[in-house]
Amino acid sequence: MAEKGGEMAVPARSETPDEGERTERLGSGPDREYADPVDPWAAAEAAAIAANGHVPYHLADPHAPAQPNSTWTIPGAQEGAPDATKSVRRSYRKGVWAACAAGAVALGVAAAVIFWPGYPALDFHSLDQEKRYDAQVPISSSWSNAEVAGDRVYYASSDSDGNLGVVAVDAESRDELWRTRVSSPGATAWQQMVALPAGVAVFSTLTSSSKIQMVFLDAEDNGRKLWEWPMGSSDVMHFGAKTAVLSDRGEGRLLWIDLATGKVKLEQDDKDSSLMVPVSTADDLARPAGVFGRFLDPAYGDARIVQINGDSSANVYDIDSGKLLKSRDSVATTSNEVLAHDGRLYVQDSTGNAQKIFGYALDELGLPVTLYTAGPDASISKFAPCGEDRLCFVETDGYDRKKDRVVAVDAVKGGEIWRTDMPEIESLAPVGDSVLATTNSSTDEVALLDKDGAKVWTATGRAARIDGGNLLRFADPLTMSVGNRTLSGVHLGDDPVDMGEVRDVYTATCSWNTSLLACVGKEQFVLYRFAG
């Protein structure tokens, strides 16, 4: 799955299984999520998913919530982890890009979106188990995953000998399309899969040569291997419609790689290990996301990516051509919170006595607007869009997480709109003009805040966006153990609809769209229908 942003991260602990839940676990190496990647507002799927819902993350803590700029998860991270991114198929007619780093993926998006109530209630109903599929490689305690993207469902499973199998399913007919085995020099274990319009990227754990093997499979042609690339543990890769952009941090360079052939088209110095931030758009807020906000199926509209350099300058590039579009000095540091969304760049500034948020128009990258100034002892984190021309974030007094609060500001002119206290917030994820605030594993709660900051409801477990007006709600956090989960469907403004229970699945592997839920089961891959 998967929100869905990124840099890869090393797997972290999984959430404690519920009492009575089986404790058979999937691999505990760098194989769990996003972002991620990764995504922007996901603050959710990987330790450092910095690619906008699109969240980039490194091999460090794949289960940590993704950082503000991320989208999908990549090696090392899986949705639901606690604390923690034909050529083009028919469902993807627009330009596409995604960013992933040895563990997370980032994707860009565009288009206008009509917020709820422009999104009617989905026809939620009791779960129908549509189909089961045999795994190409038997499911075991080693890494497995599922991803739903566009008109495809992908399943992956691996074993302790380093064998990896991928199965592709048509999301409309539910018929199997192809299955393949994947191998790569030195790869003895695998950690993540990212589904893209042009193909599927799978990532190994660190090999004996301290590299992560990224293998790119054709979406058609029976999953044929198109190319592969050895990545360093801190490298970040961004996928575009025709090009992959690799931040090779070990060699201090950026590489533009042809997506069809794997050949380098352009090389650029990057000695300062810059931060790459994909640009998301409003249409992303109307598409499925993971429980921490990672984009599962981005709209692929804005083909720009922002580079934050070690000297605090910023560059805006076309992700496919590598053309420099805009540049400006003194914008942000690589350690600042940064979000690029809907034509604007938001950056945290910590240089004065109080942290501030500045906003830039990406088309001009001219003088910034001061959107917010925090108190002298307060910190700012977890940027997330939360409605048209609005930015939400978490403000914490004295770094005491029990004093967290969500703040919304005017994203164009600046100025506070509302604030709501909510302790120990792990991630923010937009749903139309509302926002989901998820807490850490100490409380395992999720709250829906409306456009005025009022708590519509608070529930134990996890919730995830399906579209601009509908949510999936899980009664318990998702884990990397075989177990059961009760689901409900929620339309904004309506009561939840009980949909029953998924049984004997690795819940952290589950991925979804507006009607289907795909999960790795104990012995087979499973596909459920919950709407339509």
Side-chain angles (χ1 to χ4, degrees):
M1 182 171 44
E3 281 117 153
K4 343 124 157 296
E7 298 166 49
M8 186 156 67
V10 176
R13 62 181 177 79
S14 69
E15 296 185 281
T16 303
D18 296 336
E19 183 178 355
E21 182 179 72
R22 294 183 182 84
T23 56
E24 301 175 45
R25 297 192 179 276
L26 292 174
S28 59
D31 53 36
R32 287 284 178 266
E33 154 178 51
Y34 107 310
D36 120 298
V38 192
D39 350 72
W41 35 83
E45 259 118 67
I49 304 184
N52 270 6
H54 307 164
V55 189
Y57 72 76
H58 357 247
L59 292 170
D61 187 0
H63 308 306
Q67 293 309 307
N69 295 310
S70 8
T71 285
W72 293 1
T73 54
I74 291 220
Q78 203 110 288
E79 186 71 65
D83 316 319
T85 138
K86 324 133 155 258
S87 348
V88 179
R89 302 195 303 277
R90 63 179 179 276
S91 292
Y92 300 94
R93 297 300 188 189
K94 302 177 183 177
V96 51
W97 59 265
C100 67
V105 170
L107 302 140
V109 186
V113 59
I114 302 173
F115 293 115
W116 172 80
Y119 290 87
L122 294 176
D123 179 25
F124 294 117
H125 54 67
S126 297
L127 288 168
D128 295 330
Q129 185 174 297
E130 289 287 300
K131 223 164 183 181
R132 287 183 173 269
Y133 307 90
D134 291 330
Q136 178 71 5
V137 171
I139 298 168
S140 66
S141 59
S142 297
W143 173 81
S144 297
N145 195 19
E147 293 284 337
V148 181
D151 59 0
R152 291 293 175 85
V153 180
Y154 293 100
Y155 298 98
S157 57
S158 61
D159 61 24
S160 58
D161 294 325
N163 297 307
L164 172 67
V166 179
V167 176
V169 172
D170 186 290
E172 297 178 6
S173 68
R174 270 78 72 192
D175 292 333
E176 181 179 315
L177 297 173
W178 52 258
R179 58 178 53 224
T180 188
R181 281 181 175 258
V182 180
S183 62
S184 185
T188 58
W190 298 85
Q191 58 180 326
Q192 190 63 6
M193 169 176 63
V194 176
L196 303 168
V200 183
V202 289
F203 298 78
S204 75
T205 58
L206 284 173
T207 65
S208 58
S209 58
S210 298
K211 294 294 183 180
I212 294 165
Q213 292 296 126
M214 190 284 289
V215 179
F216 196 72
L217 308 177
D218 196 335
E220 308 296 335
D221 199 12
N222 295 316
R224 176 175 61 91
K225 181 192 295 187
L226 293 178
W227 55 283
E228 61 184 302
W229 197 279
M231 300 174 64
S233 61
S234 61
D235 289 356
V236 181
M237 181 173 282
H238 305 268
F239 292 98
K242 300 177 181 179
T243 307
V245 181
L246 173 66
S247 296
D248 185 339
R249 292 176 170 174
E251 298 295 326
R253 58 182 181 168
L254 290 175
L255 300 178
W256 272 256
I257 303 172
D258 186 270
L259 199 55
T261 64
K263 294 182 178 180
V264 176
K265 301 193 298 183
L266 180 66
E267 180 173 338
Q268 177 179 314
D269 288 341
D270 187 28
K271 301 301 183 185
D272 294 328
S273 296
S274 59
L275 171 67
M276 305 300 286
V277 184
V279 183
S280 59
T281 70
D283 199 27
D284 281 323
L285 310 190
R287 302 174 75 92
V291 296
F292 290 111
R294 176 177 68 94
F295 297 148
L296 303 185
D297 188 16
Y300 315 116
D302 196 321
R304 291 177 294 180
I305 189 166
V306 178
Q307 178 185 40
I308 304 297
N309 298 299
D311 63 1
S312 297
S313 65
N315 298 319
V316 181
Y317 290 99
D318 181 282
I319 196 168
D320 283 319
S321 68
K323 179 182 178 180
L324 177 63
L325 304 176
K326 293 291 178 180
S327 183
R328 182 180 177 84
D329 293 334
S330 303
V331 174
T333 71
T334 56
S335 61
N336 286 145
E337 188 96 359
V338 180
L339 171 68
H341 174 71
D342 205 20
R344 300 189 66 81
L345 176 67
Y346 306 102
V347 302
Q348 168 205 31
D349 179 79
S350 305
T351 57
N353 295 327
Q355 294 190 12
K356 296 182 179 182
I357 299 175
F358 293 131
Y360 295 83
L362 281 175
D363 287 343
E364 292 83 26
L365 208 60
L367 292 174
V369 175
T370 302
L371 303 180
Y372 185 78
T373 301
D377 297 320
S379 60
I380 293 171
S381 63
K382 301 175 176 62
F383 289 176
C386 54
E388 184 176 3
D389 294 335
R390 286 191 180 186
L391 175 70
C392 283
F393 55 91
V394 175
E395 184 177 41
T396 305
D397 285 336
Y399 300 94
D400 182 354
R401 297 294 306 283
K402 293 182 180 179
K403 297 180 180 179
D404 282 354
R405 56 182 167 271
V406 183
V407 181
V409 298
D410 187 306
V412 178
K413 299 177 182 178
E416 181 178 319
I417 298 173
W418 55 257
R419 62 175 52 209
T420 300
D421 292 337
M422 188 170 176
E424 301 184 359
I425 299 172
E426 207 60 55
S427 68
L428 298 177
V431 185
D433 55 6
S434 301
V435 63
L436 282 171
T438 301
T439 65
N440 63 25
S441 57
S442 65
T443 57
D444 287 334
E445 289 185 342
V446 59
L448 180 69
L449 309 181
D450 68 14
K451 63 182 179 62
D452 299 315
K455 291 183 181 178
V456 180
W457 47 256
T458 300
T460 300
R462 293 289 183 258
R465 182 180 68 240
I466 301 176
D467 63 18
N470 292 274
L471 301 163
L472 273 183
R473 206 160 77 183
F474 297 84
D476 298 282
L478 309 185
T479 73
M480 292 171 287
S481 303
V482 175
N484 309 325
R485 285 294 180 278
T486 299
L487 274 73
S488 58
V490 183
H491 178 249
L492 297 183
D494 296 337
D495 292 332
V497 177
D498 183 14
M499 299 190 296
E501 187 178 57
V502 292
R503 303 186 62 83
D504 293 332
V505 300
Y506 293 98
T507 55
T509 69
C510 295
S511 180
W512 46 84
N513 60 18
T514 55
S515 61
L516 299 175
L517 175 73
C519 305
V520 176
K522 182 181 179 182
E523 296 179 346
Q524 291 179 300
F525 302 134
V526 294
L527 185 63
Y528 295 90
R529 178 177 288 278
F530 60 81

